[in-house]
Amino acid sequence: LIGTVDLLAEMDQTQLAAVVQLFRHVLGDAAVGGYLFGSAVTSGLRPDSDLDFLVISSRRTSGSERRALIDGLLPISRSRGDPTDRRHVEVTVVARPAIQPWHYPPPMELQYGDWWRREFEAGEQPWASPNPDLAVLLTAARAEGVPLFGPPIAEFVDPIPRDDLGRAMHDVIPGLIENLDDDVRNVLLTLARVLFTLETGAIAAKDVAADWVIARLPDDRGEALRQARAAYLGDEDDSWDAAIRASMAEATAL
């Protein structure tokens, strides 16, 4: 584990090593690239930040391989109520032939996130494929991904065309609005990132995108987004009982 990764806490390093070992064990030589991206290598991990991974496979994966990966990730990743310092792990797996040459929307082999823990434990595979959000994820990973194994990420991921990135941003909005009641903070911050990317073509950290949007809102708007930003940074509790109506109105405005 190299570069910025060396600066992570011991528990984070342990989780990184466990993820790498799992994918090498299950996929063998087909696991040709593994990359850490997101706040771990850019703005720095926040108290509730995930560890974000992209894994490139040289081929499609089998159902049994995907199940083995999910079963292996469940004990590595933090579960709700976990008293340890472990972090939630988010892993996306793509097959190289599915993204080179590039086409939209791209398919994915697997996506692991703890918001689906109940479904995974029930034996389900709940991610969608093709998945427009993969265009956004690949753009971020290509820009900032640190190799955990394999060559530089640019060898496997071509630049995503600006038009396709814009299409992806529009395509993910309905799903975000649908999940607003259950995940207010992350939905508001993701909507802020959507707007930031549509306007600038770049991808920013959630708090940076929130600041950018708040500065452009009327003076009487933005309280819910400010609360989401503060909760993300660990400055306030992530409690939304009193602000949910304002949050919904604000999300629609964004």
Side-chain angles (χ1 to χ4, degrees):
L1 306 181
I2 60 173
T4 305
V5 180
D6 291 334
L7 303 178
L8 298 180
E10 182 178 353
M11 178 58 74
D12 300 333
Q13 292 273 15
T14 299
Q15 288 184 277
L16 293 182
V19 171
V20 170
Q21 183 179 20
L22 172 67
F23 275 84
R24 285 180 161 166
H25 173 71
V26 174
L27 297 183
D29 292 341
V32 292
Y35 306 91
L36 179 69
F37 67 103
S39 55
V41 297
T42 55
S43 57
L45 289 166
R46 306 299 182 184
D48 199 33
S49 293
D50 297 343
L51 290 173
D52 296 301
F53 299 89
L54 173 68
V55 176
I56 308 291
S57 173
S58 63
R59 55 166 174 78
R60 297 292 308 274
T61 58
S62 68
S64 60
E65 287 173 330
R66 292 190 293 274
R67 188 65 246 175
L69 291 170
I70 291 168
D71 289 343
L73 288 167
L74 283 167
I76 293 173
S77 189
R78 178 183 178 184
S79 60
R80 187 181 299 275
D82 189 336
T84 71
D85 292 330
R86 290 191 303 171
R87 293 188 180 274
H88 296 293
V89 169
E90 183 174 335
V91 185
T92 301
V93 183
V94 296
R96 184 180 184 184
I99 59 172
Q100 284 187 326
W102 169 256
H103 64 279
Y104 182 90
M108 65 169 60
E109 294 297 300
L110 179 152
Q111 188 168 65
Y112 179 92
D114 282 306
W115 60 90
W116 282 325
R117 179 171 281 266
R118 183 177 301 174
E119 289 85 347
F120 290 139
E121 290 175 340
E124 301 173 14
Q125 297 188 7
W127 63 88
S129 181
N131 194 315
D133 191 48
L134 185 53
V136 183
L137 186 151
L138 290 174
T139 298
R142 191 179 192 277
E144 63 203 30
V146 172
L148 301 176
F149 60 90
I153 193 170
E155 182 170 322
F156 297 138
V157 180
D158 296 330
I160 308 304
R162 175 73 179 269
D163 286 349
D164 285 345
L165 184 59
R167 289 172 65 190
M169 289 294 179
H170 284 289
D171 288 346
V172 301
I173 290 174
L176 289 170
I177 299 299
E178 184 178 327
N179 291 326
L180 180 60
D181 284 354
D182 296 327
D183 195 8
V184 178
R185 184 192 77 183
N186 286 322
V187 168
L188 286 178
L189 293 174
T190 303
L191 286 168
R193 294 180 80 181
V194 165
L195 184 57
F196 179 89
T197 299
L198 286 172
E199 291 292 326
T200 68
I203 295 178
K206 290 179 179 177
D207 56 315
V208 173
D211 283 338
W212 185 90
V213 172
I214 290 167
R216 286 158 177 78
L217 290 173
D219 292 340
D220 61 342
R221 304 297 295 273
E223 185 56 36
L225 188 55
R226 290 187 185 93
Q227 181 177 337
R229 179 187 181 279
Y232 171 73
L233 295 175
D235 296 333
E236 292 185 12
D237 292 337
D238 190 13
S239 176
W240 292 93
D241 291 344
I244 185 66
R245 293 183 182 274
S247 304
M248 293 178 69
E250 198 161 299
T252 302
L254 291 174

